[in-house]
Amino acid sequence: MAGLAASFGSGAMTNTIAEIENTDVILVTGSNTTEGHPIIGRRIKRAVERRNAKLIVIDPRKIELVKFAHIWLRPLPGTEVAWINGMIHVILNEGLWAKDYVAKRTEGFEELCEAVASYTPERVEAISGIPAQELTRAARLYAEAPKAMILYAMGITQHSSGTDNVKALANLAMLCGKVGIEGGGLNPLRGQNNVQGACDMGALPNTLPGYQKVTDENVLASFQQAWGTGVRLSNRVGMASTDMTKAILQGTLRGLYIMGENPVMSDANASEARKAFEDIEFLVVQDIFLSETAQLADVVLPAASFAEKDGTFTNTERRVQRVRKAIEPPGQARADWEILADLAQRLAMRLQVNMPAAAGTGQSFGSWSYHDAEAIFNEAARLAPAYAGISYERLEQGGIQWPCPSKYHPGTPILHSQRFARGLGKFFGLEWNPPAEMPDEEYPFYLSTGRIRYHYHTGTMTRRSKGLNRIAPEGRIEINPQDAQPLGIVTGERVRVISRRGSVEARVRLTERSAPGMVFGTFHFSETPINQLTNDALDPVAKIPELKVCAVRVEKIKRAELAALQPAIAEMGVDAC
Ligand SMILES: Nc1nc2c(c(=O)[nH]1)N[C@H]1C(S)=C(S)[C@@H](COP(=O)(O)OP(=O)(O)OC[C@H]3O[C@@H](n4cnc5c(=O)[nH]c(N)nc54)[C@H](O)[C@@H]3O)O[C@H]1N2
Ligand SMILES: Nc1nc2c(c(=O)[nH]1)N[C@H]1C(S)=C(S)[C@@H](COP(=O)(O)OP(=O)(O)OC[C@H]3O[C@@H](n4cnc5c(=O)[nH]c(N)nc54)[C@H](O)[C@@H]3O)O[C@H]1N2
Ligand SMILES: [Mo]
């Protein structure tokens, strides 16, 4: 996540996945690891079962990992900065911090001490609902462990305070000297198979490949030379995708090219997003299926899927790996890079017609005429220092973790072992702020949203799989039995969930996984488009929406036909996770 950039660079795991099985304490927060990252989830279970690692889970939902946890803290959603400051408060109070490490490798310690002074465990209990004693136990366990890893995901970042939440975790990890050591670190479990690679290659508003700033004239010069554009590349920072939707509605953005995203389903406050994509003057969508968003496009460019093209993916631990074409793409579908390169060539030809000065330089856009995916990779390795030593030939022997600055460099499993990207690690003094929208009388429940193991995001791919659809055919709303009872709701009954932005109907599942006062739904099913409800309030830095917290009410639609069997169904239907 971009928010971590201040101290940590790219937002990838600082350590490796394998280290999970070689550490003393694993702190998992805001990650439903066994559903979203089942392979990593398996490693956590093994670490606990076979290596006697201690697991701390901090999550408002009673997720599967809770069964394996030595300590489970159940915070109210969106109270991260409070409980993390609280842990830091305890660690300082009890003298458990890494004094040498803090002195040698960090700055801003005084600011941190000042900021957490008022976050006593008792005050944190009042904010977060975490019992003071439990918070203290967790703080001690983490701080006193020789090695401890923090793993986190969207439960930390998808908040209007997402950047502060990540900075707070970084404070905690640095204070305890757990960054830059084996079996330690701050480890965001990244989402898509290649989201890391996409960011590495500059799919961010402010960077070119290798996290090189578009505002840096030297960087621009090297790309201009490599691409031979003959015109100057723009040094303007682009827009975050969440800002684009707003800009369309305000009329300042009139054309959009979407590649591999289905925002009509995945954007917060999705009816607004749909309106934007219906209104926009010109919309291009490049996708492997005719998604809900592609259906609104003026032009659809059919792309080849992962199995139908060559390339590399970079995973959450910065490991660059080869992907090999297994089958031919169907119909007119082509690899994304082929479509983009062709388009670039045609745009360049137009540029040369319209800008004779550019044509006159003797340079052309010709360097974008790649022979294959490897040629693009080689160019990236030439331009992005972190990739400089990686080649397809080396990748034949297995994946390599960047930074890998030269041909014989082995790659870097652990980041920041000598120094941080900015030199000294910086502590931030942070204050807790409540989420943008909180439950009230009219909308008394928290709505939390996320994933289940059997579907992927907006379902364009997984909902085409018969087997997966059989296991998970519909999107159920999860509600605690304690909350369902006064509403007269039983498992399997249809309810209406309403927020200030919209309403959806779905069947419910009564489950202890949901905390009392909180309901949960996934965004996998177009029949229950949960993002009609979610709040598009953004984190000011990372521009990520508050998908993990908004306020809703739940209404019974009609009594289930099997009302007579209500008590029996309720009993059968409560799965205690
Ligand atoms: N099967 C499957 N796997 C996937 C995906 C998928 O769609 N399906 N998507 C991939 C992608 S792109 C991503 S980003 C990852 C996401 O992986 P995760 O972030 O693990 O997935 P979520 O279901 O969003 O779960 C977030 C977790 O945060 C918790 N949480 C919610 N609110 C809060 C809060 O306020 N504080 C804290 N501490 N925790 C909170 C939730 O209870 C949940 O356990 O999964 C990836 N893997
Ligand atoms: N309520 C709620 N909303 C959320 C979240 C949440 O936790 N809760 N999580 C958010 C997160 S973390 C994420 S990452 C987003 C995901 O949101 P999206 O990225 O919009 O969702 P996907 O369904 O993964 O859409 C990917 C699209 O890419 C297409 N595709 C697949 N492979 C290729 C390819 O090789 N080339 C091309 N061109 N297209 C391809 C798929 O068919 C699909 O249409 O959702 C966000 N929205
Ligand atoms: Mo994601």
Side-chain angles (χ1 to χ4, degrees), residues 255-372:
L256 193 61
Y257 186 143
I258 298 178
M259 192 176 136
E261 268 198 31
N262 187 12
V264 166
M265 285 273 294
S266 61
D267 267 11
N269 195 2
S271 6
E272 282 287 293
R274 171 175 281 278
K275 214 186 300 163
F277 299 117
E278 279 170 355
D279 281 2
I280 194 165
E281 269 178 55
F282 184 61
L283 180 64
V284 183
V285 172
Q286 183 167 319
D287 204 292
I288 62 171
F289 290 116
L290 197 65
S291 67
E292 286 79 3
T293 310
Q295 285 169 29
L296 303 178
D298 299 287
V299 178
V300 176
L301 299 169
S305 77
F306 70 95
E308 298 157 352
K309 60 193 174 199
D310 276 306
T312 60
F313 289 158
T314 305
N315 76 2
T316 185
E317 59 171 9
R318 299 168 278 108
R319 189 179 299 280
V320 184
Q321 304 179 90
R322 265 288 265 126
V323 183
R324 294 173 186 83
K325 180 171 170 175
I327 46 173
E328 286 302 321
Q332 294 176 295
R334 304 167 68 205
D336 287 295
W337 71 263
E338 289 179 53
I339 302 173
L340 288 177
D342 261 14
L343 191 69
Q345 300 270 327
R346 288 180 204 192
L347 287 171
M349 271 183 252
R350 281 199 67 87
L351 262 180
Q352 294 193 349
V353 173
N354 294 338
M355 301 180 67
T361 61
Q363 291 180 303
S364 77
F365 221 80
S367 59
W368 268 47
S369 61
Y370 304 104
H371 183 255
D372 53 18

Side-chain angles (χ1 to χ4, degrees), residues 139-311:
R140 286 179 188 148
L141 185 57
Y142 175 78
E144 288 178 339
K147 295 190 278 186
M149 284 178 101
I150 296 177
L151 309 181
Y152 70 92
M154 292 300 122
I156 289 295
T157 53
Q158 286 175 344
H159 292 279
S160 53
S161 59
T163 302
D164 281 355
N165 295 349
V166 175
K167 283 181 176 168
L169 283 179
N171 282 344
L172 176 64
M174 290 193 301
L175 182 70
C176 298
K178 306 274 196 278
V179 184
I181 61 165
E182 198 188 335
L186 193 60
N187 298 287
L189 304 181
R190 302 219 54 172
Q192 295 107 328
N193 51 349
N194 194 37
V195 62
Q196 187 65 49
C199 293
D200 295 353
M201 289 303 116
L204 290 167
N206 57 344
T207 61
L208 282 154
Y211 302 95
Q212 303 179 86
K213 297 268 180 285
V214 296
T215 46
D216 182 330
E217 290 301 328
N218 292 330
V219 168
L220 285 181
S222 68
F223 280 84
Q224 273 161 202
Q225 199 188 8
W227 288 343
T229 56
V231 279
R232 281 176 60 77
L233 290 172
S234 170
N235 63 358
R236 252 178 47 201
V237 170
M239 244 184 228
S241 63
T242 38
D243 281 339
M244 290 181 192
T245 324
K246 294 186 171 138
I248 298 169
L249 291 168
Q250 287 159 3
T252 50
L253 183 67
R254 292 163 49 208
L256 193 61
Y257 186 143
I258 298 178
M259 192 176 136
E261 268 198 31
N262 187 12
V264 166
M265 285 273 294
S266 61
D267 267 11
N269 195 2
S271 6
E272 282 287 293
R274 171 175 281 278
K275 214 186 300 163
F277 299 117
E278 279 170 355
D279 281 2
I280 194 165
E281 269 178 55
F282 184 61
L283 180 64
V284 183
V285 172
Q286 183 167 319
D287 204 292
I288 62 171
F289 290 116
L290 197 65
S291 67
E292 286 79 3
T293 310
Q295 285 169 29
L296 303 178
D298 299 287
V299 178
V300 176
L301 299 169
S305 77
F306 70 95
E308 298 157 352
K309 60 193 174 199
D310 276 306

